[in-house]
Amino acid sequence: MFRPKLPDVPTLPTTPVVPQQTQTMVPSTGRSLTPYAGAVAAVVVVGIVLTALLAAVAVTAVSVAIAAVVLRSLLNGAPKR
């Protein structure tokens, strides 16, 4: 009376299901993508160099700002001594 009723087990299909294979598209012009590898590498290298230069400028700006704050505090505190 209080036992749960189990669902019926579905029957498996008798025909095997074959997955469809997709083919990759090949450029129709017959040209390979190898000549673009040099251009992509150059863009990546230029991006890395510009990022490094930007980081150097940022670090320099922070150090100059810190030096300015230290000098200002030294000069403002000199008459009080």
Side-chain angles (χ1 to χ4, degrees), residues 24-56:
T24 59
M25 298 296 292
V26 178
S28 61
T29 58
R31 304 167 91 191
S32 68
L33 298 176
T34 320
Y36 299 114
V40 170
V43 168
V44 168
V45 169
V46 168
I48 290 172
V49 169
L50 289 178
T51 304
L53 288 173
L54 181 63

Side-chain angles (χ1 to χ4, degrees), residues 7-75:
D8 295 334
V9 179
T11 59
L12 297 175
T14 57
T15 58
V17 177
V18 179
Q20 296 180 353
Q21 296 179 355
T22 58
Q23 297 179 352
T24 59
M25 298 296 292
V26 178
S28 61
T29 58
R31 304 167 91 191
S32 68
L33 298 176
T34 320
Y36 299 114
V40 170
V43 168
V44 168
V45 169
V46 168
I48 290 172
V49 169
L50 289 178
T51 304
L53 288 173
L54 181 63
V57 169
V59 168
T60 304
V62 168
S63 64
V64 168
I66 291 172
V69 168
V70 169
L71 284 175
R72 182 179 173 188
S73 66
L74 287 175
L75 291 176

